[in-house]
Amino acid sequence: MHRFFAELEPFLSVTEQNLTDRNRYILRSNIFGDAELERLRREAVPSSNGNAMPGNAAPLDAQQTAYVDAAVNIPVNSGDDGIVSHELEKMRSILEESMLETPSMPLENRPRLPRITLSKRNRAVVRALNPMLVTYLKASHDLCETDSILFGAALEVCHIIGTKLPMVGRATQQSSAIPAWRKRIEDRIAKARTLIGRLTSFRSGNNRLRVVRTGRMAYAGTNISLSQQDISQKLTERIDDLKQKIAAWGKRIRRFSERSRRFNQNRLF
């Protein structure tokens, strides 16, 4: 099998163990039925008699090579999978409309595609649409256009199988909201700045009740009293400590924001 695969695909380097594992996975996962597997064998190894060896096999034409390269692109059997001819025509017309609308749709307005269940019907819909994409993919000139084609096809699959999609713009609203972790850190910074302001005011001689109460709360649980002689130095140390915490929290926000930005960019790509 490995020698035969090397003759069919001389530019792909696959080990014997890897090829055996892939073959075993295809057979065990029941991706293709017995009729489809037999059809693949006949089209991949065209021969004049049943005893022809792989080395004597005739060269593959373009259509047969396509079947070997991407087995998922084989059209489904309409009798077994429930895709009839009029449904295929309807899917083709919907795909044409989707190919015209998707390129003009901004990325931020595209709904997030959910995961679909691996049922026989859903697999049949995907296999029926795959051959229809060949014409559009061949005419694609860049990666952005290819992405629009694949997104439009995936969106059509969700519509055909009845998968509920999020409302347009909901993803943008969620992404523009302030994350919970950032709001917590910003609240800490706001409280620390308020405390710094009142401690500075108390150090300057402001003895209002609210300012004194805040100073006592700042040193609650410690042996420091506001009436001791070196309280001015203690206040200065406390204020410097709060300023260092604010700087550390600000760096944490910038670090987390950069990480979130990279994650979103990778997800969009």
Side-chain angles (χ1 to χ4, degrees):
M1 182 173 60
H2 184 266
R3 288 195 301 268
F4 183 35
F5 184 83
E7 294 177 2
L8 291 176
E9 297 292 340
F11 300 102
L12 295 180
S13 58
V14 181
T15 62
E16 297 180 0
Q17 183 63 42
N18 191 3
L19 191 61
T20 304
D21 293 340
R22 290 173 183 268
N23 182 36
R24 187 183 302 111
Y25 170 76
I26 291 175
L27 296 178
R28 287 184 178 180
S29 58
N30 295 325
I31 297 178
F32 305 109
D34 295 337
E36 290 177 291
L37 288 175
E38 185 61 27
R39 179 182 179 183
L40 279 175
R41 294 189 185 99
R42 290 197 307 267
E43 293 180 347
V45 190
S47 58
S48 58
N49 52 63
N51 298 326
M53 297 299 292
N56 299 328
L60 300 179
D61 56 16
Q63 182 179 4
Q64 293 166 345
T65 305
Y67 283 127
V68 177
D69 291 342
V72 295
N73 287 341
I74 299 177
V76 297
N77 190 330
S78 59
D80 296 335
D81 297 319
I83 304 295
V84 294
S85 58
H86 69 87
E87 290 181 342
L88 291 176
E89 293 299 329
K90 183 178 179 181
M91 291 166 59
R92 186 175 288 104
S93 62
I94 297 176
L95 181 63
E96 293 177 356
E97 297 177 359
S98 180
M99 292 300 106
L100 296 176
E101 297 176 358
T102 305
S104 60
M105 183 186 302
L107 290 176
E108 59 271 11
N109 293 338
R110 292 185 179 182
R112 179 172 295 183
L113 296 175
R115 294 181 179 271
I116 61 176
T117 57
L118 295 178
S119 63
K120 185 177 181 180
R121 171 67 178 178
N122 295 346
R123 190 179 292 118
V125 172
V126 174
R127 291 179 185 170
L129 281 176
N130 280 336
M132 302 180 188
L133 296 177
V134 176
T135 304
Y136 300 98
L137 292 175
K138 286 183 178 179
S140 176
H141 297 89
D142 53 13
L143 184 61
C144 294
E145 190 172 353
T146 302
D147 173 72
S148 299
I149 294 172
L150 297 179
F151 180 83
L155 194 63
E156 182 189 354
V157 171
C158 294
H159 289 313
I160 293 175
I161 65 180
T163 302
K164 186 177 294 185
L165 296 173
M167 296 177 58
V168 176
R170 181 179 299 180
T172 305
Q173 295 175 3
Q174 291 179 352
S175 62
S176 61
I178 300 177
W181 60 266
R182 181 165 184 168
K183 191 175 185 304
R184 288 194 297 267
I185 297 177
E186 289 178 350
D187 291 342
R188 295 176 190 172
I189 294 176
K191 291 180 181 179
R193 287 175 176 171
T194 302
L195 183 57
I196 288 175
R198 293 187 179 180
L199 292 179
T200 303
S201 178
F202 179 78
R203 187 179 58 181
S204 302
N206 188 350
N207 294 324
R208 287 189 302 176
L209 181 61
R210 179 181 298 179
V211 176
V212 175
R213 187 186 299 116
T214 303
R216 291 175 180 174
M217 291 176 59
Y219 292 102
T222 64
N223 296 326
I224 299 176
S225 174
L226 298 181
S227 59
Q228 62 188 43
Q229 296 179 356
D230 59 342
I231 189 61
S232 179
Q233 180 180 356
K234 298 295 183 182
L235 289 173
T236 302
E237 294 176 354
R238 179 62 173 169
I239 291 173
D240 292 340
D241 181 62
L242 291 174
K243 289 181 178 179
Q244 292 178 6
K245 288 185 177 181
I246 290 176
W249 288 333
K251 291 181 180 179
R252 184 179 300 178
I253 288 178
R254 290 191 294 271
R255 186 172 66 252
F256 286 176
S257 299
E258 180 66 19
R259 179 182 178 185
S260 178
R261 185 181 65 85
R262 290 197 304 266
F263 174 80
N264 290 331
Q265 287 180 348
N266 290 336
R267 181 177 56 83
L268 289 174
F269 178 78

